[in-house]
Amino acid sequence: FVEIDGVPAQKILDAHDVELPLTAERVDADALPSALAEVALYGFDLSQDIPLRAHLFQLNEQEHVLMLVLHHIAGDGGSFAPMARDVAHAYTARLEGRAPTWTPLPVQYADYTLWQHALLGSEDDPSSLLSQQFRYWKQRLDGVADCIALPTDRPRPTIASHRGRQVALHIDASLHSRLLRLAREHQATLFMVLQAGLAALLTRLGAGNDIAIGGAIAGRTDQALDELIGFFVNTLVLRTDTSGNPDFTQLLGQVRENALAAYAHQDAPFERLVELLNPARSTSHHPLFQVGIVLQNAEHAKLALPGLQLSVEPADFLTAKLDLLFNIVEAQADDGSPQGLHGFIEYATDLFDADTVEALTRRWVDLLDAIAAQPQLRIGEIELLNADERQQFLAWNASTKDVGEATLPELFERQVAATPDAIAAIFGENNLSYAQLNARANRLARLLIAQGIGPEDRVALALPRSLEMLVAMLGIVKTGAAYVPLDPAYPPERLAYMLDDARPVVLITNRETLQSLPDHPVSALLLDAPETVQAIAAQHTANPEQAQRRQPLRARNAAYVIYTSGSTGRPKGVVVTHAGITSLASGQIERFGVQPHSRVLQFASLSFDAAFSECCMTLLCGAALVLASKDQLLPGDALAGVIAKHQVTHV
């Protein structure tokens, strides 16, 4: 394969001028795996070398291992069967003392390439088949994530080493048969069932709902190509949407539809597609997908040489093209009946340990077994834990400490009674003791209660980071209502959606923040308005009593509503009750070692669930909560300065 004026071209040699490199050496059986790996990883100089090498290892007088190394530029998985037949034909002829006689092939690889160019046309022609296929893929892959989230054992390195190992995979004949039946019942293929199962598994393992998996298409679309050794395979990106927790039959229907469309546009070269889509290129991962699945259902290579007993020697060459590659071979009896699926999962050792991939493999097989028995199961209902794992998780989560149930106002007020003069909150040069914080929250709560606000109401809260923000949060929960935090830095569209969706009875904010919020009919209580300041100051500082609330506040009432990120669609409001607060706070106080002298940084946005955790672990044990403005929490000197100035112990 040479370059002529900067353009790559193949140089076809006369067979009589070619000598196949063949090396023979004696090797011990123990050293065979490393010897095979060394030969397999030979680096071809494609401008000088023919893309085929042979190596013969002699273990003893009767046992030999022949390795043929075919560069991928000149052959693919579909080439193995015709190559095996050619080797057997030539070997048999030489044993008989004659040169092999070859039947001319109907086409050569050069014929195929010319035909493909004529079929696809020019990329510059908008009406060409190639342009049409590229348009399909650009639309189909629009917005696909640069990198899938996988449960790795280690962070992804900046530069992938491409070192890898393999874990064996086996699916027995019974499950193989049931998966085939499931495929037939839904007019799908076995590969589609396996791909849908893998997409479901990745979602369950935390990869999200937009699952891009790499697949291979044989590309041998004409019988005339069956006996041809050459590279015909192309790579397809199979994208699956698992959102909405579909049942498996729904997911399989989507996978089938998308796969058929991909097959109809299979000729667009993947390498060129990557250039056109131009995703963020990285030395740490493969573009467009990092997980692949291949079902090797092409004709198996059957090498029969006179006078020899032959077997295939499995080899692991310690490389990984992707993060995870599922390589599966379908076994069938002579009558075509299923005999099981076997193969391996090739994994990047940069990211995974063997036991992690073994567990992942088992979960995939268990998932396939479950959907073969009950294809109507929703993917979120499929059991992925075995009995030992389930028992282990139960043991991890077992708690012998009865912490009881109480509402946040009850828990906070107990702490106020215990440490009234301790510093509760710090912001810049200002601070509030527990008694002062409680008194200010009580005044706001009583004003809201007087306006009829109580348990199961929702009150929106939009204030910048400040002592007032903390006072307002406590004041709302003391009424029995649930607070709905609105981060003023959020996009106006998101804030408008949250207000429409949550339907709060009132919005607590200040005049400056109100200017940055979207217009909305909900009434606003402006904490810095003179009339509000006067109304709050007129309220009593005592804790509100149950009888003063519209109805009693119970642990099962809502404490706050947090909206999800929206990465799986529209943001969803999650209602969190008071019931788990005691366990959460006591567990974190114990595990994180929060003491009355501790100072905890309130770092998370109030619109993020972690902010509530920070407040509880601090204010329910007598420690001090350190608040700071958004600019002061920027990573670097600003954040380090806040931590140092206020002697923060917990971040």
Side-chain angles (χ1 to χ4, degrees):
F1 293 86
V2 296
E3 203 174 86
I4 301 172
D5 296 330
V7 179
Q10 70 172 343
K11 183 179 179 182
I12 301 176
L13 306 177
D14 189 300
H16 298 292
D17 298 332
V18 175
E19 183 174 342
L20 173 67
L22 172 62
T23 307
E25 66 176 288
R26 186 74 179 255
V27 67
D28 293 333
D30 292 342
L32 179 63
S34 60
L36 291 173
E38 182 179 353
V39 173
L41 296 176
Y42 173 80
F44 286 86
D45 177 357
L46 290 173
S47 67
Q48 302 292 329
D49 298 342
I50 64 168
L52 178 65
R53 297 176 64 82
H55 209 102
L56 186 68
F57 298 97
Q58 182 181 5
L59 301 180
N60 52 54
E61 294 302 321
Q62 298 297 320
E63 194 171 6
H64 298 72
V65 176
L66 174 67
M67 171 172 272
L68 297 178
V69 183
L70 179 66
H71 195 286
H72 218 337
I73 199 171
D76 55 17
S79 300
F80 294 160
M83 187 165 71
R85 284 192 287 270
D86 284 355
V87 171
H89 175 74
Y91 184 82
T92 302
R94 295 301 178 183
L95 282 183
E96 296 172 356
R98 60 181 178 82
T101 56
W102 303 105
T103 303
L105 292 170
V107 294
Q108 294 289 336
Y109 193 79
D111 300 318
Y112 163 76
T113 61
L114 293 171
W115 169 82
Q116 189 182 50
H117 277 282
L119 173 71
L120 296 179
S122 170
E123 192 179 317
D124 298 329
D125 178 5
S127 64
S128 70
L129 181 60
L130 184 61
S131 294
Q132 294 172 28
Q133 294 202 10
F134 279 143
R135 282 196 295 272
Y136 165 80
W137 286 111
K138 286 179 182 178
Q139 181 181 9
R140 178 70 189 133
L141 299 180
D142 181 44
V144 70
D146 291 331
C147 190
I148 195 171
L150 296 172
T152 60
D153 295 300
R154 285 171 290 283
R156 188 178 296 279
T158 304
I159 301 176
S161 71
H162 298 292
R163 288 190 293 266
R165 295 301 302 264
Q166 296 174 0
V167 163
L169 169 69
H170 178 70
I171 293 174
D172 63 30
S174 172
L175 179 53
H176 182 192
S177 178
R178 287 184 288 131
L179 292 173
L180 285 170
R181 182 166 63 249
L182 175 63
R184 285 194 300 270
E185 288 172 352
H186 293 86
Q187 297 181 302
T189 65
L190 175 62
F191 176 80
M192 294 172 187
V193 173
L194 297 175
Q195 184 218 324
L198 181 55
L201 176 70
L202 294 176
T203 289
R204 290 290 305 276
L205 295 180
N209 298 117
D210 186 2
I211 307 296
I213 297 175
I217 192 80
R220 294 176 184 255
T221 55
D222 192 292
Q223 272 190 322
L225 305 176
D226 289 351
E227 291 300 311
L228 201 54
I229 297 173
F231 186 85
F232 299 89
V233 71
N234 193 19
T235 301
L236 304 179
V237 186
L238 304 169
R239 191 177 183 185
T240 305
D241 178 6
T242 61
S243 63
N245 193 25
D247 67 46
F248 190 79
T249 58
Q250 293 171 324
L251 185 66
L252 180 57
Q254 181 202 146
V255 166
R256 176 184 179 275
E257 180 181 344
N258 292 338
L260 291 176
Y263 300 158
H265 299 85
Q266 63 176 276
D267 303 298
F270 176 75
E271 295 78 7
R272 180 61 182 142
L273 181 63
V274 172
E275 294 175 353
L276 292 174
L277 292 175
N278 195 27
R281 303 306 291 270
S282 171
T283 55
S284 68
H285 60 77
H286 191 274
L288 299 182
F289 65 88
Q290 293 78 48
V291 178
I293 181 170
V294 179
L295 178 60
Q296 306 284 8
N297 55 3
E299 180 187 3
H300 301 320
K302 297 177 182 177
L303 189 59
L305 304 181
L308 299 180
Q309 291 181 330
L310 299 173
S311 62
V312 174
E313 176 75 13
D316 182 348
F317 302 126
L318 311 182
T319 60
K321 305 177 188 69
L322 304 170
D323 294 354
L324 294 168
L325 175 61
F326 290 67
N327 196 313
I328 308 156
V329 177
E330 186 174 15
Q332 294 179 326
D334 292 338
D335 62 359
S337 59
Q339 294 295 298
L341 303 171
H342 61 88
F344 58 85
I345 298 178
E346 180 183 275
Y347 64 92
T349 53
D350 287 344
L351 305 176
F352 297 101
D353 293 328
D355 55 357
T356 300
V357 182
E358 287 168 356
L360 184 147
T361 305
R362 178 187 57 74
R363 295 191 207 288
W364 188 48
V365 175
D366 288 349
L367 182 147
L368 292 173
D369 186 59
I371 58 98
Q374 294 179 278
Q376 67 274 27
L377 277 176
R378 294 190 177 275
I379 62 175
E381 299 170 346
I382 300 171
E383 181 59 72
L384 295 182
L385 297 179
N386 61 28
D388 290 341
E389 288 172 330
R390 176 167 291 282
Q391 190 59 42
Q392 186 178 45
F393 277 121
L394 290 172
W396 281 343
N397 287 287
S399 175
T400 56
K401 184 188 295 184
D402 183 8
V403 295
E405 271 189 356
T407 65
L408 179 57
E410 290 174 323
L411 295 168
F412 177 65
E413 288 160 10
R414 288 178 200 169
Q415 188 60 52
V416 172
T419 58
D421 298 325
I423 294 177
I426 302 168
F427 183 83
E429 304 304 322
N430 301 313
N431 60 64
L432 292 174
S433 69
Y434 273 83
Q436 290 170 329
L437 176 59
N438 190 52
R440 288 181 58 175
N442 286 341
R443 280 190 164 121
L444 176 60
R446 287 177 174 274
L447 177 63
L448 296 173
I449 291 171
Q451 295 176 357
I453 294 171
E456 293 306 307
D457 283 334
R458 289 179 289 279
V459 176
L461 173 57
L463 287 170
R465 295 167 180 273
S466 59
L467 294 174
E468 288 70 26
M469 180 189 77
L470 184 60
V471 169
M473 184 193 86
L474 289 170
I476 294 168
V477 295
K478 279 173 172 281
T479 70
Y483 70 90
V484 183
L486 304 176
D487 190 329
Y490 278 1
E493 295 81 1
R494 178 181 170 94
L495 294 174
Y497 167 74
M498 292 165 67
L499 286 167
D500 286 339
D501 188 62
R503 298 181 183 177
V505 294
V506 68
L507 164 65
I508 295 179
T509 185
N510 59 29
R511 287 177 290 188
E512 181 180 354
T513 303
L514 184 63
Q515 300 304 312
S516 65
L517 299 177
D519 291 335
H520 198 274
V522 63
S523 62
L525 178 66
L526 302 177
L527 294 183
D528 56 351
E531 61 272 20
T532 306
V533 174
Q534 185 176 0
I536 291 175
Q539 303 299 318
H540 202 284
T541 60
N543 297 326
E545 299 176 2
Q546 288 283 38
Q548 295 169 322
R549 297 187 178 103
R550 191 179 66 209
Q551 63 189 58
L553 172 60
R554 307 296 184 195
R556 295 296 169 182
N557 287 125
Y560 62 95
V561 178
I562 288 285
Y563 276 78
T564 63
S565 65
S567 59
T568 60
R570 303 194 76 178
K572 301 168 187 66
V574 180
V575 179
V576 182
T577 70
H578 292 262
I581 294 175
T582 310
S583 182
L584 170 76
S586 62
Q588 290 189 329
I589 290 167
E590 176 186 343
R591 298 292 178 90
F592 300 155
V594 185
Q595 303 289 330
H597 62 266
S598 298
R599 293 191 169 193
V600 179
L601 182 65
Q602 201 286 290
F603 183 79
S605 163
L606 195 63
S607 290
F608 180 40
D609 212 26
F612 185 78
S613 166
E614 293 165 346
C615 295
C616 286
M617 78 169 78
T618 308
L619 299 179
L620 302 186
C621 81
L625 188 69
V626 177
L627 299 101
S629 67
K630 181 180 178 182
D631 292 341
Q632 290 176 311
L633 296 179
L634 291 174
D637 292 342
L639 177 58
V642 168
I643 292 172
K645 177 180 179 179
H646 297 294
Q647 299 178 308
V648 170
T649 60
H650 291 70
V651 181

